[in-house]
Amino acid sequence: MIKILVTGSGGQLGLCLKSKSKEQKTLDFVFLDSKAFDITNSSQAEAVFSNYNFDYCINCAAYTTVDNAEVDHKKAYEINVIGPKNLAEASNKFGVTLIHISTDFVFNGNTNRPYKETDLTDPLGVYGQTKLDGEGEIQAILDSYYIIRTSWLYSEFKNNFVKTMLKLAQEKDELNVVNDQKGTPTNANDLADAIINIVISRKKGFGLYHFSNLGETTWYGFAKAIFEISKTKIKVNPVTSVAFVTTAKRPKYSVLDKTKISSVFNINIPNWKVSLDNHIKAIQS
């Protein structure tokens, strides 16, 4: 039996992993949310790791409020940098393989082709910088790690773009949605499947990986697809980022190249529209 700790288990990805854990007969999961395990506390990290004989730790804990991070630097730094550092040190001490989730926001978006793992990073804001610094802490401490960058996560759990759009459609007749930021919507369940696939494979292909669904779109294209699939009647207007003043800058293009993770672990990644279609049909059934 492979024993796995999931930190930040109260978030989207953690809850998707929890849902899928029931199907796994060879994996024994321990799910700890931020109340049960504060990853910014190093002594707590050591205590949790020493109490169990974990094989893997999947770190789903993160400070993901992009705009708030510009103001609350300290909290973003503690959760996104100190937290992964503590987990890496505990993993190193107790012989645990760390799987850490990172973001497309480590890139500046000044390109027009999908980003590879080897491309130069250049975060535009505090959120992206702290996530990149967290990656660096892990890489400095561990040899046995997987860092997986992802983008535009949604699921049946917590707050996300799909839920927000469907909710707003009940309240409004018309919506303005940004059409000059390109990326890839990612079903958190597909990411959870990929992580489980990595664990079960027992391959030692440690390192940095990118994972999102296939294809690319804008937030406007994403919204249009949500309403088309859900058969929701609402007018959607494409607008530029200038129409929405935000505290943090966002990359104009953050599509991730998935060639590496797909080939190393033989993962069949669905197109974002196919996955979205399956998701909406499931939540509407």
Side-chain angles (χ1 to χ4, degrees):
M1 196 69 105
I2 303 171
K3 191 130 189 170
I4 304 164
L5 167 65
V6 178
T7 60
S9 65
Q12 283 196 86
L13 180 58
L15 290 169
C16 288
L17 284 164
K18 198 169 195 174
S19 175
K20 290 178 177 294
S21 68
K22 296 157 192 156
E23 309 157 15
Q24 302 300 322
K25 306 301 179 196
T26 60
L27 307 180
D28 180 17
F29 287 88
V30 172
F31 293 94
L32 298 178
D33 62 16
S34 57
K35 289 176 185 172
F37 177 19
D38 174 9
I39 65 167
T40 68
N41 185 323
S42 59
S43 58
Q44 205 175 119
E46 177 142 347
V48 168
F49 277 70
S50 65
N51 284 341
Y52 300 90
N53 188 24
F54 292 120
D55 298 294
Y56 289 84
C57 169
I58 303 171
N59 181 33
C60 302
Y63 186 103
T64 57
T65 318
V66 177
D67 289 317
N68 287 358
E70 294 297 315
V71 181
D72 199 352
H73 296 213
K74 186 173 182 289
K75 192 170 182 184
Y77 182 83
E78 285 174 353
I79 296 171
N80 292 344
V81 184
I82 301 302
K85 179 175 184 275
N86 290 339
L87 293 175
E89 287 176 342
S91 295
N92 192 42
K93 183 171 181 176
F94 294 98
V96 176
T97 298
L98 180 60
I99 300 175
H100 175 71
I101 310 305
S102 193
T103 177
D104 56 330
F105 273 56
V106 299
F107 298 110
N108 63 21
N110 297 334
T111 185
N112 55 6
R113 60 155 183 85
Y115 281 102
K116 296 179 182 291
E117 292 83 354
T118 50
D119 284 328
L120 288 176
T121 52
D122 180 26
L124 297 176
V126 173
Y127 167 66
Q129 187 62 57
T130 56
K131 290 298 287 181
L132 181 62
D133 291 345
E135 290 182 12
E137 292 290 350
I138 291 166
Q139 291 165 324
I141 295 164
L142 286 174
D143 294 320
S144 303
Y145 68 85
Y146 300 96
I147 293 170
I148 305 172
R149 293 174 181 152
T150 192
S151 66
W152 298 23
L153 281 187
Y154 68 89
S155 69
E156 62 271 41
F157 304 110
K158 309 297 281 188
N159 294 323
N160 55 67
F161 188 76
V162 176
K163 282 190 176 182
T164 300
M165 289 298 104
L166 292 173
K167 181 176 181 290
L168 287 173
Q170 303 302 313
E171 303 164 358
K172 299 174 182 287
D173 299 318
E174 194 172 337
L175 282 176
N176 295 333
V177 184
V178 171
N179 196 37
D180 60 356
Q181 292 171 18
K182 266 192 181 172
T184 309
T186 305
N187 190 325
N189 288 286
D190 293 334
L191 176 55
D193 283 335
I195 292 167
I196 289 168
N197 186 303
I198 288 170
V199 172
I200 290 172
S201 77
R202 286 292 202 174
K203 288 186 179 177
K204 303 295 183 190
F206 301 126
L208 181 61
Y209 290 89
H210 288 170
F211 182 92
S212 64
N213 284 121
L214 294 180
E216 60 183 59
T217 189
T218 63
W219 290 107
Y220 167 76
F222 190 9
K224 288 279 283 183
I226 291 164
F227 298 134
E228 283 167 14
I229 294 165
S230 64
K231 296 182 170 54
T232 302
K233 290 187 178 178
I234 185 170
K235 188 182 180 190
V236 188
N237 306 309
V239 297
T240 65
S241 306
V242 178
F244 289 94
V245 179
T246 58
T247 311
K249 286 185 180 178
R250 282 144 170 88
K252 292 282 187 185
Y253 185 94
S254 63
V255 179
L256 301 172
D257 186 308
K258 279 77 68 172
T259 307
K260 183 182 175 186
I261 197 167
S262 182
S263 59
V264 172
F265 296 103
N266 302 313
I267 294 172
N268 184 22
I269 305 173
N271 181 275
W272 74 268
K273 263 196 167 177
V274 172
S275 214
L276 180 64
D277 187 79
N278 292 337
H279 170 71
I280 288 175
K281 283 174 180 171
I283 63 174
Q284 287 186 329
S285 62

